[in-house]
Amino acid sequence: MRALKYLLITLGAVLCSALVIAVAFLLVSIASTDTDATYELRGRYKPSTDGKTYLVIEHDNGGGCGAFSVDDERWPHQLHEAGEIVPGTRTIKCGGEIDIEIKPGNIYYFNYWGP
């Protein structure tokens, strides 16, 4: 009976610890979101401060694809660096090919290559 009591106490402590870790992770995730941005499948966008349109590529699709291209032209900017771009549907290539819609006057942060 005593062993069962200690087993239940240990199990309760483990479950409480897991719950505390999950809540902490959730709070960090919520705190790190960009509240000015609109989120969608491929990333997020928000109004630019100068009214121009920009693209920021935040994910390199595993890192093994070499240089990025946008609309079949080499993208001259580094990962996480904003580059001015013409609004509209743009095709990003780097190991895969993704079409995204970039709205005028916004900064589009591209970060998801998946299906």
Side-chain angles (χ1 to χ4, degrees):
M1 193 61 161
R2 180 178 276 191
L4 181 60
K5 177 181 170 183
Y6 289 118
L7 178 65
L8 289 175
I9 290 171
T10 303
L11 182 60
V14 168
L15 289 175
C16 285
S17 297
L19 183 60
V20 167
I21 290 170
V23 168
F25 179 75
L26 181 62
L27 290 175
V28 168
S29 295
I30 291 170
S32 67
T33 59
D34 188 348
T35 57
D36 295 337
T38 300
Y39 287 79
E40 57 184 30
L41 178 63
R42 302 284 171 212
R44 67 188 188 284
Y45 62 91
K46 65 181 181 179
S48 65
T49 56
D50 60 5
K52 295 180 181 178
T53 305
Y54 298 94
L55 172 62
V56 178
I57 299 176
E58 296 185 316
H59 192 277
D60 62 1
N61 199 15
C65 62
F68 297 105
S69 70
V70 177
D71 297 334
D72 292 321
E73 293 184 20
R74 188 182 179 284
W75 183 244
H77 304 281
Q78 299 294 321
L79 202 61
H80 303 288
E81 179 184 349
E84 194 170 349
I85 194 163
V86 177
T89 301
R90 301 285 150 242
T91 302
I92 302 174
K93 292 181 183 176
C94 182
E97 182 176 308
I98 300 289
D99 291 330
I100 58 171
E101 180 69 28
I102 301 176
K103 298 178 180 176
N106 285 289
I107 305 169
Y108 192 98
Y109 297 88
F110 173 79
N111 63 16
Y112 181 64
W113 289 92

PDB file of all heavy atoms in Angstrom, residues 26-52:
ATOM      1  N   LEU A  26       3.883  27.615 -23.978  1.00  0.00           N
ATOM      2  CA  LEU A  26       2.760  28.318 -24.582  1.00  0.00           C
ATOM      3  C   LEU A  26       2.862  29.823 -24.352  1.00  0.00           C
ATOM      4  O   LEU A  26       2.660  30.614 -25.265  1.00  0.00           O
ATOM      5  CB  LEU A  26       1.438  27.781 -24.029  1.00  0.00           C
ATOM      6  CG  LEU A  26       0.173  28.412 -24.580  1.00  0.00           C
ATOM      7  CD1 LEU A  26       0.062  28.159 -26.079  1.00  0.00           C
ATOM      8  CD2 LEU A  26      -1.047  27.873 -23.862  1.00  0.00           C
ATOM      9  N   LEU A  27       3.215  30.225 -23.155  1.00  0.00           N
ATOM     10  CA  LEU A  27       3.353  31.651 -22.851  1.00  0.00           C
ATOM     11  C   LEU A  27       4.485  32.286 -23.652  1.00  0.00           C
ATOM     12  O   LEU A  27       4.346  33.408 -24.151  1.00  0.00           O
ATOM     13  CB  LEU A  27       3.574  31.857 -21.353  1.00  0.00           C
ATOM     14  CG  LEU A  27       2.362  31.570 -20.469  1.00  0.00           C
ATOM     15  CD1 LEU A  27       2.731  31.694 -18.990  1.00  0.00           C
ATOM     16  CD2 LEU A  27       1.210  32.493 -20.809  1.00  0.00           C
ATOM     17  N   VAL A  28       5.600  31.583 -23.788  1.00  0.00           N
ATOM     18  CA  VAL A  28       6.713  32.103 -24.596  1.00  0.00           C
ATOM     19  C   VAL A  28       6.287  32.226 -26.054  1.00  0.00           C
ATOM     20  O   VAL A  28       6.596  33.219 -26.725  1.00  0.00           O
ATOM     21  CB  VAL A  28       7.957  31.203 -24.455  1.00  0.00           C
ATOM     22  CG1 VAL A  28       9.003  31.541 -25.496  1.00  0.00           C
ATOM     23  CG2 VAL A  28       8.537  31.334 -23.056  1.00  0.00           C
ATOM     24  N   SER A  29       5.553  31.256 -26.571  1.00  0.00           N
ATOM     25  CA  SER A  29       5.084  31.302 -27.959  1.00  0.00           C
ATOM     26  C   SER A  29       4.143  32.475 -28.187  1.00  0.00           C
ATOM     27  O   SER A  29       4.248  33.186 -29.187  1.00  0.00           O
ATOM     28  CB  SER A  29       4.363  30.006 -28.328  1.00  0.00           C
ATOM     29  OG  SER A  29       5.256  28.935 -28.303  1.00  0.00           O
ATOM     30  N   ILE A  30       3.251  32.692 -27.262  1.00  0.00           N
ATOM     31  CA  ILE A  30       2.315  33.807 -27.389  1.00  0.00           C
ATOM     32  C   ILE A  30       3.043  35.137 -27.288  1.00  0.00           C
ATOM     33  O   ILE A  30       2.787  36.065 -28.059  1.00  0.00           O
ATOM     34  CB  ILE A  30       1.204  33.708 -26.315  1.00  0.00           C
ATOM     35  CG1 ILE A  30       0.291  32.516 -26.631  1.00  0.00           C
ATOM     36  CG2 ILE A  30       0.393  34.994 -26.245  1.00  0.00           C
ATOM     37  CD1 ILE A  30      -0.678  32.187 -25.533  1.00  0.00           C
ATOM     38  N   ALA A  31       3.977  35.239 -26.370  1.00  0.00           N
ATOM     39  CA  ALA A  31       4.714  36.494 -26.176  1.00  0.00           C
ATOM     40  C   ALA A  31       5.602  36.826 -27.365  1.00  0.00           C
ATOM     41  O   ALA A  31       5.884  38.000 -27.626  1.00  0.00           O
ATOM     42  CB  ALA A  31       5.554  36.410 -24.905  1.00  0.00           C
ATOM     43  N   SER A  32       6.047  35.834 -28.120  1.00  0.00           N
ATOM     44  CA  SER A  32       6.969  36.085 -29.229  1.00  0.00           C
ATOM     45  C   SER A  32       6.256  36.352 -30.554  1.00  0.00           C
ATOM     46  O   SER A  32       6.916  36.580 -31.559  1.00  0.00           O
ATOM     47  CB  SER A  32       7.941  34.924 -29.377  1.00  0.00           C
ATOM     48  OG  SER A  32       7.243  33.773 -29.792  1.00  0.00           O
ATOM     49  N   THR A  33       4.927  36.331 -30.590  1.00  0.00           N
ATOM     50  CA  THR A  33       4.224  36.607 -31.835  1.00  0.00           C
ATOM     51  C   THR A  33       4.241  38.097 -32.133  1.00  0.00           C
ATOM     52  O   THR A  33       4.305  38.935 -31.238  1.00  0.00           O
ATOM     53  CB  THR A  33       2.760  36.117 -31.785  1.00  0.00           C
ATOM     54  OG1 THR A  33       2.094  36.756 -30.711  1.00  0.00           O
ATOM     55  CG2 THR A  33       2.677  34.620 -31.632  1.00  0.00           C
ATOM     56  N   ASP A  34       4.195  38.414 -33.390  1.00  0.00           N
ATOM     57  CA  ASP A  34       4.176  39.799 -33.857  1.00  0.00           C
ATOM     58  C   ASP A  34       2.721  40.236 -33.902  1.00  0.00           C
ATOM     59  O   ASP A  34       1.979  39.858 -34.805  1.00  0.00           O
ATOM     60  CB  ASP A  34       4.834  39.864 -35.239  1.00  0.00           C
ATOM     61  CG  ASP A  34       5.041  41.268 -35.724  1.00  0.00           C
ATOM     62  OD1 ASP A  34       4.491  42.208 -35.113  1.00  0.00           O
ATOM     63  OD2 ASP A  34       5.753  41.446 -36.719  1.00  0.00           O
ATOM     64  N   THR A  35       2.302  41.069 -32.957  1.00  0.00           N
ATOM     65  CA  THR A  35       0.890  41.426 -32.842  1.00  0.00           C
ATOM     66  C   THR A  35       0.410  42.327 -33.977  1.00  0.00           C
ATOM     67  O   THR A  35      -0.782  42.405 -34.235  1.00  0.00           O
ATOM     68  CB  THR A  35       0.607  42.115 -31.497  1.00  0.00           C
ATOM     69  OG1 THR A  35       1.444  43.262 -31.372  1.00  0.00           O
ATOM     70  CG2 THR A  35       0.859  41.170 -30.337  1.00  0.00           C
ATOM     71  N   ASP A  36       1.313  43.003 -34.673  1.00  0.00           N
ATOM     72  CA  ASP A  36       0.926  43.864 -35.792  1.00  0.00           C
ATOM     73  C   ASP A  36       0.770  43.092 -37.093  1.00  0.00           C
ATOM     74  O   ASP A  36       0.295  43.639 -38.084  1.00  0.00           O
ATOM     75  CB  ASP A  36       1.980  44.957 -36.015  1.00  0.00           C
ATOM     76  CG  ASP A  36       2.075  45.912 -34.851  1.00  0.00           C
ATOM     77  OD1 ASP A  36       1.084  46.028 -34.097  1.00  0.00           O
ATOM     78  OD2 ASP A  36       3.129  46.547 -34.682  1.00  0.00           O
ATOM     79  N   ALA A  37       1.183  41.841 -37.107  1.00  0.00           N
ATOM     80  CA  ALA A  37       1.213  41.068 -38.349  1.00  0.00           C
ATOM     81  C   ALA A  37      -0.052  40.239 -38.535  1.00  0.00           C
ATOM     82  O   ALA A  37      -0.717  39.862 -37.578  1.00  0.00           O
ATOM     83  CB  ALA A  37       2.434  40.150 -38.366  1.00  0.00           C
ATOM     84  N   THR A  38      -0.328  39.946 -39.798  1.00  0.00           N
ATOM     85  CA  THR A  38      -1.376  39.011 -40.168  1.00  0.00           C
ATOM     86  C   THR A  38      -0.681  37.711 -40.551  1.00  0.00           C
ATOM     87  O   THR A  38       0.199  37.701 -41.414  1.00  0.00           O
ATOM     88  CB  THR A  38      -2.187  39.549 -41.364  1.00  0.00           C
ATOM     89  OG1 THR A  38      -2.771  40.794 -40.993  1.00  0.00           O
ATOM     90  CG2 THR A  38      -3.273  38.566 -41.770  1.00  0.00           C
ATOM     91  N   TYR A  39      -1.056  36.619 -39.897  1.00  0.00           N
ATOM     92  CA  TYR A  39      -0.416  35.323 -40.129  1.00  0.00           C
ATOM     93  C   TYR A  39      -1.206  34.514 -41.153  1.00  0.00           C
ATOM     94  O   TYR A  39      -2.431  34.548 -41.178  1.00  0.00           O
ATOM     95  CB  TYR A  39      -0.313  34.545 -38.814  1.00  0.00           C
ATOM     96  CG  TYR A  39       0.747  35.100 -37.896  1.00  0.00           C
ATOM     97  CD1 TYR A  39       0.516  36.236 -37.134  1.00  0.00           C
ATOM     98  CD2 TYR A  39       1.994  34.510 -37.821  1.00  0.00           C
ATOM     99  CE1 TYR A  39       1.501  36.762 -36.309  1.00  0.00           C
ATOM    100  CE2 TYR A  39       2.985  35.019 -36.995  1.00  0.00           C
ATOM    101  CZ  TYR A  39       2.727  36.144 -36.247  1.00  0.00           C
ATOM    102  OH  TYR A  39       3.709  36.662 -35.440  1.00  0.00           O
ATOM    103  N   GLU A  40      -0.474  33.796 -42.015  1.00  0.00           N
ATOM    104  CA  GLU A  40      -1.071  32.877 -42.975  1.00  0.00           C
ATOM    105  C   GLU A  40      -0.146  31.678 -43.142  1.00  0.00           C
ATOM    106  O   GLU A  40       0.899  31.616 -42.492  1.00  0.00           O
ATOM    107  CB  GLU A  40      -1.348  33.582 -44.308  1.00  0.00           C
ATOM    108  CG  GLU A  40      -0.131  34.209 -44.945  1.00  0.00           C
ATOM    109  CD  GLU A  40      -0.478  34.981 -46.211  1.00  0.00           C
ATOM    110  OE1 GLU A  40      -1.591  35.505 -46.323  1.00  0.00           O
ATOM    111  OE2 GLU A  40       0.392  35.026 -47.095  1.00  0.00           O
ATOM    112  N   LEU A  41      -0.484  30.744 -44.004  1.00  0.00           N
ATOM    113  CA  LEU A  41       0.258  29.482 -44.107  1.00  0.00           C
ATOM    114  C   LEU A  41       1.748  29.666 -44.369  1.00  0.00           C
ATOM    115  O   LEU A  41       2.574  29.048 -43.720  1.00  0.00           O
ATOM    116  CB  LEU A  41      -0.340  28.608 -45.216  1.00  0.00           C
ATOM    117  CG  LEU A  41       0.375  27.282 -45.474  1.00  0.00           C
ATOM    118  CD1 LEU A  41       0.299  26.383 -44.240  1.00  0.00           C
ATOM    119  CD2 LEU A  41      -0.214  26.585 -46.678  1.00  0.00           C
ATOM    120  N   ARG A  42       2.127  30.501 -45.291  1.00  0.00           N
ATOM    121  CA  ARG A  42       3.534  30.641 -45.698  1.00  0.00           C
ATOM    122  C   ARG A  42       4.324  31.635 -44.871  1.00  0.00           C
ATOM    123  O   ARG A  42       5.529  31.774 -45.049  1.00  0.00           O
ATOM    124  CB  ARG A  42       3.627  31.047 -47.168  1.00  0.00           C
ATOM    125  CG  ARG A  42       2.965  30.085 -48.096  1.00  0.00           C
ATOM    126  CD  ARG A  42       3.823  28.857 -48.286  1.00  0.00           C
ATOM    127  NE  ARG A  42       3.074  27.845 -49.016  1.00  0.00           N
ATOM    128  CZ  ARG A  42       3.230  26.559 -48.837  1.00  0.00           C
ATOM    129  NH1 ARG A  42       4.099  26.114 -47.975  1.00  0.00           N
ATOM    130  NH2 ARG A  42       2.519  25.701 -49.511  1.00  0.00           N
ATOM    131  N   GLY A  43       3.691  32.345 -43.985  1.00  0.00           N
ATOM    132  CA  GLY A  43       4.405  33.331 -43.180  1.00  0.00           C
ATOM    133  C   GLY A  43       3.462  34.367 -42.599  1.00  0.00           C
ATOM    134  O   GLY A  43       2.345  34.065 -42.217  1.00  0.00           O
ATOM    135  N   ARG A  44       3.935  35.619 -42.600  1.00  0.00           N
ATOM    136  CA  ARG A  44       3.128  36.698 -42.061  1.00  0.00           C
ATOM    137  C   ARG A  44       3.457  37.977 -42.825  1.00  0.00           C
ATOM    138  O   ARG A  44       4.473  38.072 -43.482  1.00  0.00           O
ATOM    139  CB  ARG A  44       3.386  36.882 -40.571  1.00  0.00           C
ATOM    140  CG  ARG A  44       4.777  37.373 -40.250  1.00  0.00           C
ATOM    141  CD  ARG A  44       5.043  37.345 -38.729  1.00  0.00           C
ATOM    142  NE  ARG A  44       6.303  37.975 -38.396  1.00  0.00           N
ATOM    143  CZ  ARG A  44       7.496  37.473 -38.568  1.00  0.00           C
ATOM    144  NH1 ARG A  44       7.623  36.269 -39.111  1.00  0.00           N
ATOM    145  NH2 ARG A  44       8.585  38.130 -38.238  1.00  0.00           N
ATOM    146  N   TYR A  45       2.567  38.950 -42.712  1.00  0.00           N
ATOM    147  CA  TYR A  45       2.845  40.247 -43.331  1.00  0.00           C
ATOM    148  C   TYR A  45       2.287  41.347 -42.450  1.00  0.00           C
ATOM    149  O   TYR A  45       1.365  41.137 -41.659  1.00  0.00           O
ATOM    150  CB  TYR A  45       2.279  40.329 -44.754  1.00  0.00           C
ATOM    151  CG  TYR A  45       0.785  40.189 -44.851  1.00  0.00           C
ATOM    152  CD1 TYR A  45      -0.047  41.307 -44.802  1.00  0.00           C
ATOM    153  CD2 TYR A  45       0.192  38.943 -45.002  1.00  0.00           C
ATOM    154  CE1 TYR A  45      -1.422  41.169 -44.887  1.00  0.00           C
ATOM    155  CE2 TYR A  45      -1.174  38.802 -45.095  1.00  0.00           C
ATOM    156  CZ  TYR A  45      -1.977  39.918 -45.048  1.00  0.00           C
ATOM    157  OH  TYR A  45      -3.340  39.782 -45.139  1.00  0.00           O
ATOM    158  N   LYS A  46       2.900  42.516 -42.575  1.00  0.00           N
ATOM    159  CA  LYS A  46       2.434  43.682 -41.840  1.00  0.00           C
ATOM    160  C   LYS A  46       2.790  44.930 -42.640  1.00  0.00           C
ATOM    161  O   LYS A  46       3.684  44.895 -43.497  1.00  0.00           O
ATOM    162  CB  LYS A  46       3.042  43.720 -40.445  1.00  0.00           C
ATOM    163  CG  LYS A  46       4.539  43.896 -40.383  1.00  0.00           C
ATOM    164  CD  LYS A  46       5.004  43.888 -38.934  1.00  0.00           C
ATOM    165  CE  LYS A  46       6.499  44.094 -38.830  1.00  0.00           C
ATOM    166  NZ  LYS A  46       6.927  44.106 -37.439  1.00  0.00           N
ATOM    167  N   PRO A  47       2.107  46.028 -42.383  1.00  0.00           N
ATOM    168  CA  PRO A  47       2.382  47.250 -43.139  1.00  0.00           C
ATOM    169  C   PRO A  47       3.825  47.713 -42.938  1.00  0.00           C
ATOM    170  O   PRO A  47       4.363  47.657 -41.834  1.00  0.00           O
ATOM    171  CB  PRO A  47       1.402  48.268 -42.538  1.00  0.00           C
ATOM    172  CG  PRO A  47       0.330  47.451 -41.889  1.00  0.00           C
ATOM    173  CD  PRO A  47       0.996  46.186 -41.439  1.00  0.00           C
ATOM    174  N   SER A  48       4.439  48.172 -44.028  1.00  0.00           N
ATOM    175  CA  SER A  48       5.792  48.717 -43.916  1.00  0.00           C
ATOM    176  C   SER A  48       5.686  50.170 -43.442  1.00  0.00           C
ATOM    177  O   SER A  48       4.666  50.826 -43.648  1.00  0.00           O
ATOM    178  CB  SER A  48       6.527  48.636 -45.250  1.00  0.00           C
ATOM    179  OG  SER A  48       5.901  49.461 -46.209  1.00  0.00           O
ATOM    180  N   THR A  49       6.734  50.650 -42.811  1.00  0.00           N
ATOM    181  CA  THR A  49       6.699  52.009 -42.255  1.00  0.00           C
ATOM    182  C   THR A  49       6.789  53.080 -43.331  1.00  0.00           C
ATOM    183  O   THR A  49       6.332  54.201 -43.127  1.00  0.00           O
ATOM    184  CB  THR A  49       7.845  52.210 -41.247  1.00  0.00           C
ATOM    185  OG1 THR A  49       9.086  51.913 -41.894  1.00  0.00           O
ATOM    186  CG2 THR A  49       7.661  51.313 -40.041  1.00  0.00           C
ATOM    187  N   ASP A  50       7.352  52.737 -44.501  1.00  0.00           N
ATOM    188  CA  ASP A  50       7.514  53.734 -45.557  1.00  0.00           C
ATOM    189  C   ASP A  50       6.547  53.540 -46.728  1.00  0.00           C
ATOM    190  O   ASP A  50       6.627  54.240 -47.731  1.00  0.00           O
ATOM    191  CB  ASP A  50       8.951  53.744 -46.070  1.00  0.00           C
ATOM    192  CG  ASP A  50       9.384  52.411 -46.654  1.00  0.00           C
ATOM    193  OD1 ASP A  50       8.553  51.484 -46.751  1.00  0.00           O
ATOM    194  OD2 ASP A  50      10.573  52.294 -47.011  1.00  0.00           O
ATOM    195  N   GLY A  51       5.630  52.568 -46.617  1.00  0.00           N
ATOM    196  CA  GLY A  51       4.645  52.339 -47.660  1.00  0.00           C
ATOM    197  C   GLY A  51       5.144  51.517 -48.833  1.00  0.00           C
ATOM    198  O   GLY A  51       4.389  51.219 -49.756  1.00  0.00           O
ATOM    199  N   LYS A  52       6.423  51.126 -48.824  1.00  0.00           N
ATOM    200  CA  LYS A  52       6.974  50.291 -49.886  1.00  0.00           C
ATOM    201  C   LYS A  52       6.689  48.821 -49.581  1.00  0.00           C
ATOM    202  O   LYS A  52       6.262  48.477 -48.482  1.00  0.00           O
ATOM    203  CB  LYS A  52       8.477  50.517 -50.030  1.00  0.00           C
ATOM    204  CG  LYS A  52       8.829  51.919 -50.498  1.00  0.00           C
ATOM    205  CD  LYS A  52      10.332  52.078 -50.630  1.00  0.00           C
ATOM    206  CE  LYS A  52      10.686  53.481 -51.075  1.00  0.00           C
ATOM    207  NZ  LYS A  52      12.150  53.677 -51.163  1.00  0.00           N
TER     208      LYS A  52
END
